[in-house]
Amino acid sequence: MSANLVIVESPAKAKTIEGYLGKDFKVMSSYGHICDLPKGQGAVDVEAGFEPKYTISKEKEQLVRDLKKAAKAAKLVWLATDEDREGEAISWHLKETLGLADEKTRRIVFHEITKPAILRAIENPRTVDEDLVNAQQARRILDRLVGFELSPVLWRKVKPQLSAGRVQSVAVRILVEREREIRQHTSVASFRVVGEFLTHGIPFKATLNERFDAFEDARNFLESALHSTHSVKSIDTKPTTRKPAAPFTTSTLQQEAARKLGFSVSRTMKVAQDLYEAGHITYMRTDSTNLSETALEGAEAAIKSAYGADYHLRQTYSKAAKGAQEAHEAIRPTDFTATTMTGDRDLVRLYELIWKRAIASQMAHARLENTTAHIDVSGRPEHFVAKGQVITFDGFLKVYLESTDDENTEEHDKDRLPAMEVGQTLDREGIVATERFSKHLPRYTEASLVKRLEELGIGRPSTYAPTISTVQKRGYVEKRDLEGTPREYRILEIRGSEISERTETEMTGADRNKLIPTDIGSVVNDFLHEHFENILDFNFTANVENEFDHIAQGELNWRDMLQDFYKPFKSKVDEVIEVGERPKDRVLGEDPKTGKPIIVRIGRFGPIAQIGDANDEEKQFASLLKDQSIETITLEQALELFKLPRRLGEHEGKVVTAAIGRFGPYVRYDGKFVSLKAADGDDPHTITLTRALELIQAKMEADAKALIKVFDEDPDTRILNGRYGPYIKHGKKNVTIPKTEDPMGIDWARALELIEEHAKKPKRGRRKS
């Protein structure tokens, strides 16, 4: 047995570290937390000062026995979990659970998994930092109490099986408020005028310094300008510089990976964790923009070698976000000479992005020259403005340029303007006045929501990805595309000596990969805002984060902090359960046939329209379509829903109907449900029997191809051919069949064995991002 036992939280990290240490070191993984609060009541003893009752999950019991055995045999145990609060808590749980004595326990931390960093950590051990542990513990307990207390309120007052979280609820509020701002936005039209000119035969464009609100005003301008001449009134040239962006923090990495690579927040964190554990980058959960002296020297050498001394400029960056946590390093490559790497495409792309951002942060500022030319219109007070830009020294732009979230940019690219002189008369090719419409604020992407949360001081590097994943899993938010609707716009144009008019069509309201609150998300948000305003208050939530920071710094007692929060919160929960009212249903009007009220509300399976009030024994229900909302649906649209289910006809003596169910529009035939394909124009209100039979036939053929075997003992248990190979479908469980076994050779007894093995399989994995 080795004299030294090193415990980390992931097998990949263990494998990398083991390669750097000698035969005297054995490295094992805890697979994340070995202890956690149990589900249900009794996880926290509030009366005993919020004492947590941690338990070891069944799937971790054997692992704990193995770790105890290895720790007992070792002379020293090195706890090498991540350097943040979560990692500190894992080390503390290991020390307590394994019964490690202080004299044989060492806590080591490192920003990167490289041999020098590991050896340096071994030379500089410390003890477990209980202040960091208490900060993590306070967050875990507070969030558990909030969820545990609020969820039953939502079950009783809104809908069963709902849940609420402290940070997640604020994230939903941000999205709900933005969506309502968008719905309330009224587009205002104006005409943007662009002139097309020639100087010495070289074309360029210039924009009029005013916009016209009315079509008539734009028309009048073009009529006045029809015979105008144009000369250069003035030329302004100004030198300027552009500075590189700071090296990545967790949030800026998530934002830029979304913009440049199209990664989701969770995908970015998974790939970054793989890069970290393989030793390619520094720790990926950080809000610091600092670079170590070693990193600064490495970047300097790499820049001077590749680009020359003129391209290097040592720079430091200050962190502007609220509530910056412990002083970690920024995310950077561990070796600046490695401009790329080999392996999985996602790993390579994210690594190259991190390398470029970090190396650019230590490069010289770019020097540019901005030129603005003002071009008059004879007989008119307005003038055209042409802008150009020339890079006189590219500096960091040789490597990297940061992207933005700005969706409303309409400026022409600032290319170099052709040579011209003040007083020079220009040839005109044409003038185009295009009707443009004011735009609403953009919907949030995952990345821009992270940016907003950070600006508000809500959450920390370790919580952004889980927060965004959680609100989507709970059904409060959807990430989806919006198709938009066609909109006409008018164009006036001068070509030669004539003015022409035409109307063209564009799509408005189209969006891709945006976070959109669902009806249930909006209803829960409104309920919480009415009854638990402080839970959704931005400043209150940010202050709680600051209190966690004070606990981590040893400046605040974690039990006192929880007591101050919980006492008024618990009192409010009890009050709302006792006297709080359910959310009010939205009344659309009356059913013209029965005179009964038509309302929309949240039902058991989602948003529904209802004819009749709550006490009506003959009330009728209809599910809303996917693109409909209880906040915007009209009476006419609701009435259309009650025309379903629609009888399409019969096929082989059996009825075919179209309807909308829990999972969307479908046709039903012979007990089978077949989803309609909205992308192909299928609509339950208009679909024909012929089209329905096409979909039914296609579904039957697909099912027949997928079916491998049915068991006589239980016809509902089947062997099917899936995307990843054959599997057993047993109720809601999908049981993988070993590749070494022939699916046709599996009998009922073997099927039951595989089902039982699947049920016992431990759900253990590394710590979530």
Side-chain angles (χ1 to χ4, degrees):
M1 178 59 67
S2 300
N4 296 274
L5 173 65
V6 180
I7 305 177
V8 297
E9 60 276 78
S10 83
K13 188 174 173 183
K15 185 178 179 182
T16 305
I17 292 175
E18 199 160 40
Y20 298 141
L21 300 173
K23 56 181 174 52
D24 290 337
F25 287 83
K26 177 182 176 64
V27 185
M28 296 180 69
S29 170
S30 69
Y31 293 86
H33 283 276
I34 60 168
C35 296
D36 200 0
L37 297 174
K39 293 181 179 179
Q41 203 164 7
V44 179
D45 190 339
V46 174
E47 299 302 322
F50 301 94
E51 189 66 28
K53 297 182 179 180
Y54 296 112
T55 59
I56 301 169
S57 60
K58 285 189 176 181
E59 60 263 26
K60 291 289 182 78
E61 288 176 354
Q62 182 58 50
L63 173 64
V64 170
R65 286 193 287 269
D66 294 342
L67 289 171
K68 279 185 176 180
K69 184 178 178 182
K72 187 176 181 181
K75 291 182 180 178
L76 285 177
V77 178
W78 304 79
L79 303 176
T81 52
D82 289 342
E83 58 179 331
D84 59 7
R85 297 171 190 173
E86 204 73 25
E88 203 71 22
I90 293 173
S91 280
W92 181 75
H93 282 303
L94 285 166
K95 184 174 183 295
E96 295 296 310
T97 305
L98 304 182
L100 302 177
D102 290 343
E103 58 270 17
K104 69 174 293 183
T105 306
R106 305 288 185 271
R107 171 76 171 117
I108 55 173
V109 294
F110 33 83
H111 300 309
E112 60 189 63
I113 305 177
T114 59
K115 187 170 184 177
I118 301 302
L119 296 179
R120 200 160 46 243
I122 293 284
E123 292 170 1
N124 297 278
R126 60 171 174 79
T127 58
V128 173
D129 187 331
E130 295 205 4
D131 290 329
L132 291 183
V133 175
N134 288 336
Q136 187 275 344
Q137 198 163 231
R139 175 190 290 279
R140 185 79 181 91
I141 292 171
L142 180 64
D143 288 347
R144 169 59 68 89
L145 290 173
V146 169
F148 186 78
E149 297 287 359
L150 279 185
S151 295
V153 179
L154 296 177
W155 299 347
R156 295 188 190 189
K157 304 296 182 178
V158 182
K159 178 178 173 286
Q161 302 307 309
L162 292 178
S163 57
R166 183 178 56 86
V167 177
Q168 295 94 323
S169 296
V170 177
V172 173
R173 175 193 167 182
I174 292 171
L175 298 173
V176 168
E177 290 182 349
R178 175 57 55 88
E179 193 65 25
R180 287 174 177 165
E181 287 174 357
I182 291 170
R183 287 173 180 165
Q184 292 167 7
H185 174 78
T186 301
S187 288
V188 177
S190 63
F191 285 81
R192 180 172 179 264
V193 182
V194 175
E196 300 171 6
F197 302 99
L198 289 172
T199 175
H200 306 298
I202 301 173
F204 69 96
K205 293 182 178 181
T207 304
L208 197 70
N209 67 328
E210 288 187 23
R211 289 195 177 202
F212 299 107
D213 295 335
F215 176 84
E216 293 75 17
D217 293 337
R219 174 86 195 188
N220 289 339
F221 172 80
L222 263 65
E223 288 176 347
S224 300
L226 188 60
H227 302 294
S228 292
T229 58
H230 306 277
S231 61
V232 180
K233 190 162 72 170
S234 64
I235 299 175
D236 301 322
T237 301
K238 292 182 180 179
T240 186
T241 59
R242 183 180 293 181
K243 299 178 181 179
F248 283 130
T249 62
T250 300
S251 67
T252 55
L253 176 63
Q254 290 168 344
Q255 293 165 47
E256 195 73 340
R259 298 180 192 123
K260 288 191 183 300
L261 307 180
F263 284 10
S264 66
V265 167
S266 58
R267 183 179 176 189
T268 297
M269 293 310 293
K270 179 186 181 302
V271 176
Q273 182 151 339
D274 289 342
L275 287 170
Y276 166 68
E277 291 178 345
H280 294 299
I281 64 169
T282 51
Y283 192 54
M284 66 287 163
R285 295 186 188 92
T286 176
D287 49 18
S288 172
T289 54
N290 293 326
L291 293 177
S292 67
E293 184 64 28
T294 302
L296 292 170
E297 291 171 358
E300 179 178 354
I303 292 165
K304 288 181 176 178
S305 173
Y307 310 109
D310 289 346
Y311 279 86
H312 175 256
L313 178 64
R314 179 177 284 215
Q315 297 168 82
T316 57
Y317 298 86
S318 60
K319 187 69 175 68
K322 293 183 181 179
Q325 205 174 296
E326 291 78 32
H328 303 152
E329 259 199 279
I331 303 169
R332 60 164 177 85
T334 55
D335 179 3
F336 278 101
T337 65
T339 60
T340 187
M341 56 173 287
T342 58
D344 177 83
R345 185 167 179 264
D346 279 2
L347 293 174
V348 173
R349 294 173 73 202
L350 192 66
Y351 176 81
E352 289 178 350
L353 184 67
I354 292 168
W355 183 89
K356 288 177 181 178
R357 176 81 165 224
I359 204 82
S361 75
Q362 297 305 306
M363 293 179 72
H365 300 169
R367 295 193 290 273
L368 307 99
E369 193 174 79
N370 289 329
T371 302
T372 303
H374 299 269
I375 301 162
D376 64 14
V377 183
S378 62
R380 295 286 305 191
E382 302 88 355
H383 65 273
F384 287 97
V385 179
K387 294 184 178 181
Q389 190 175 75
V390 178
I391 298 174
T392 57
F393 175 67
D394 53 3
F396 76 93
L397 293 175
K398 185 179 280 290
V399 175
Y400 180 83
L401 176 62
E402 184 180 26
S403 299
T404 70
D405 288 317
D406 187 5
E407 299 179 357
N408 295 323
T409 300
E410 285 191 340
E411 279 190 49
H412 298 301
D413 292 336
K414 290 185 180 179
D415 296 326
R416 181 193 295 265
L417 282 179
M420 62 185 84
E421 299 175 356
V422 174
Q424 176 185 341
T425 299
L426 301 173
D427 296 326
R428 184 183 75 202
E429 288 196 311
I431 298 177
V432 181
T434 306
E435 188 175 23
R436 296 287 81 200
F437 299 87
S438 61
K439 296 183 178 180
H440 57 67
L441 291 169
R443 290 182 172 88
Y444 284 99
T445 61
E446 288 190 355
S448 60
L449 179 58
V450 167
K451 182 179 180 180
R452 183 60 180 148
L453 289 170
E454 186 181 37
E455 288 171 349
L456 293 168
I458 295 168
R460 290 296 181 263
S462 61
T463 65
Y464 298 135
T467 296
I468 290 174
S469 296
T470 298
V471 296
Q472 292 179 69
K473 287 176 183 175
R474 287 178 175 170
Y476 294 157
V477 174
E478 292 178 338
K479 183 167 69 172
R480 59 188 176 96
D481 300 341
L482 295 177
E483 294 182 5
T485 56
R487 175 176 64 189
E488 291 186 342
Y489 65 99
R490 294 167 290 179
I491 299 173
L492 291 162
E493 186 171 9
I494 292 178
R495 290 292 166 192
S497 59
E498 295 183 354
I499 298 175
S500 62
E501 299 178 14
R502 68 181 185 273
T503 300
E504 294 190 1
T505 302
E506 63 184 357
M507 295 299 292
T508 181
D511 258 329
R512 287 185 57 79
N513 285 327
K514 295 300 174 70
L515 296 176
I516 301 172
T518 62
D519 279 329
I520 188 64
S522 298
V523 170
V524 168
N525 172 79
D526 293 347
F527 180 83
L528 293 178
H529 191 271
E530 180 181 354
H531 298 290
F532 299 95
E533 190 173 1
N534 64 335
I535 292 293
L536 296 188
D537 182 78
F538 297 146
N539 290 329
F540 177 84
T541 307
N543 287 337
V544 170
E545 296 290 349
N546 289 333
E547 289 182 330
F548 291 147
D549 294 340
H550 291 312
I551 294 170
Q553 293 154 12
E555 300 168 355
L556 180 64
N557 181 281
W558 69 277
R559 297 180 194 270
D560 292 343
M561 178 263 180
L562 289 176
Q563 181 64 40
D564 291 343
F565 172 90
Y566 184 73
K567 188 174 180 180
F569 171 68
K570 175 60 175 170
S571 175
K572 185 64 177 177
V573 166
D574 293 341
E575 177 190 331
V576 174
I577 287 179
E578 186 69 27
V579 300
E581 295 184 356
R582 294 176 59 87
K584 290 183 172 62
D585 300 330
R586 180 171 171 238
V587 180
L588 302 181
E590 288 187 354
D591 176 25
K593 292 181 181 179
T594 65
K596 295 180 179 180
I598 294 184
I599 64 174
V600 284
R601 64 181 182 84
I602 296 297
R604 183 180 177 190
F605 299 118
I608 60 170
Q610 176 180 312
I611 296 178
D613 58 29
N615 300 319
D616 189 337
E617 294 183 359
E618 297 180 350
K619 53 184 173 286
Q620 302 173 55
F621 306 98
S623 297
L624 269 61
L625 294 172
K626 189 170 181 63
D627 60 350
Q628 292 177 328
S629 166
I630 59 176
E631 294 193 14
T632 58
I633 190 172
T634 64
L635 175 62
E636 292 73 21
Q637 291 168 336
L639 288 170
E640 283 293 313
L641 297 174
F642 289 99
K643 293 179 181 179
L644 300 175
R646 217 176 113 235
R647 182 185 171 108
L648 305 182
E650 292 188 6
H651 177 64
E652 296 181 350
K654 295 172 182 174
V655 176
V656 181
T657 58
I660 301 172
R662 181 182 178 187
F663 302 107
Y666 66 89
V667 290
R668 183 177 184 180
Y669 170 72
D670 193 20
K672 293 183 176 64
F673 297 83
V674 182
S675 296
L676 299 189
K677 298 180 179 179
D680 293 340
D682 294 335
D683 185 316
H685 295 95
T686 58
I687 190 169
T688 63
L689 177 61
T690 301
R691 173 59 178 159
L693 292 176
E694 286 177 11
L695 293 172
I696 292 165
Q697 184 64 31
K699 179 72 165 65
M700 292 171 70
E701 289 175 1
D703 288 348
K705 287 180 182 178
L707 182 63
I708 296 175
K709 186 173 185 176
V710 178
F711 293 97
D712 294 336
E713 293 84 351
D714 182 1
D716 290 332
T717 300
R718 306 174 171 207
I719 298 180
L720 303 174
N721 198 11
R723 181 180 178 188
Y724 302 107
Y727 67 97
I728 299 172
K729 180 74 173 176
H730 179 69
K732 293 184 179 180
K733 295 176 182 175
N734 296 332
V735 180
T736 303
I737 295 174
K739 293 182 179 179
T740 55
E741 295 192 38
D742 177 8
M744 289 300 295
I746 294 176
D747 59 15
W748 179 242
R750 177 58 179 152
L752 289 178
E753 286 178 4
L754 290 171
I755 292 167
E756 190 173 344
E757 288 172 11
H758 175 81
K760 292 180 179 178
K761 195 173 290 185
K763 298 177 182 177
R764 72 181 190 181
R766 73 184 180 189
R767 170 182 160 194
K768 295 179 180 178
S769 298

